[in-house]
Amino acid sequence: MTEAQAAIGKLRAELIGLGVTDAYEVCDDSTLSVWIGLVVSFRDGSYRWREGPVRHHHSGSDPVGCAVRVARRYAELQADVPPWWEDLARILRGESAQDYP
């Protein structure tokens, strides 16, 4: 198991503890998809997350702190779906995703 795989596994466990249960690993085992457009990756010893076109950096390799920030943003996105989400959902899932964030 690589450092990135272990870090993503720890982050996923922390997110589950915070109620974010539908996150899943994608592509290279160093990326976690939390929600359409909200992904977290672990590279060069730190977590980086992207929300649509905006990139964020969590300083350090602390999965607990990163999970808290990502879970908080996940809850905000669920409560107030951003305008970019609908376009991205249509591209990634097709028209059937219109009513399902």
Side-chain angles (χ1 to χ4, degrees):
M1 178 179 287
T2 67
E3 177 188 17
Q5 289 171 323
I8 289 296
K10 290 176 185 176
L11 177 65
R12 186 167 188 266
E14 292 296 332
L15 286 169
I16 289 171
L18 294 170
V20 181
T21 58
D22 51 355
Y24 59 92
E25 293 177 27
V26 295
C27 300
D28 56 4
D29 296 327
S30 66
T31 304
L32 189 69
S33 176
V34 180
W35 198 53
I36 283 184
L38 178 59
V39 296
V40 183
S41 61
F42 186 86
R43 289 192 179 86
D44 301 325
S46 63
Y47 291 100
R48 291 175 174 84
W49 53 288
R50 186 175 64 229
E51 171 194 327
V54 180
R55 296 176 189 260
H56 301 276
H57 177 79
H58 179 74
S59 54
S61 60
D62 171 31
V64 176
C66 185
V68 168
R69 291 177 69 191
V70 170
R72 184 180 306 131
R73 187 61 187 142
Y74 173 79
E76 291 169 356
L77 289 169
Q78 293 269 317
D80 187 23
V81 177
W84 55 260
W85 186 88
E86 289 183 17
D87 294 334
L88 185 59
R90 274 196 266 303
I91 292 167
L92 295 176
R93 291 187 176 167
E95 291 296 322
S96 63
Q98 286 181 349
D99 298 326
Y100 180 73

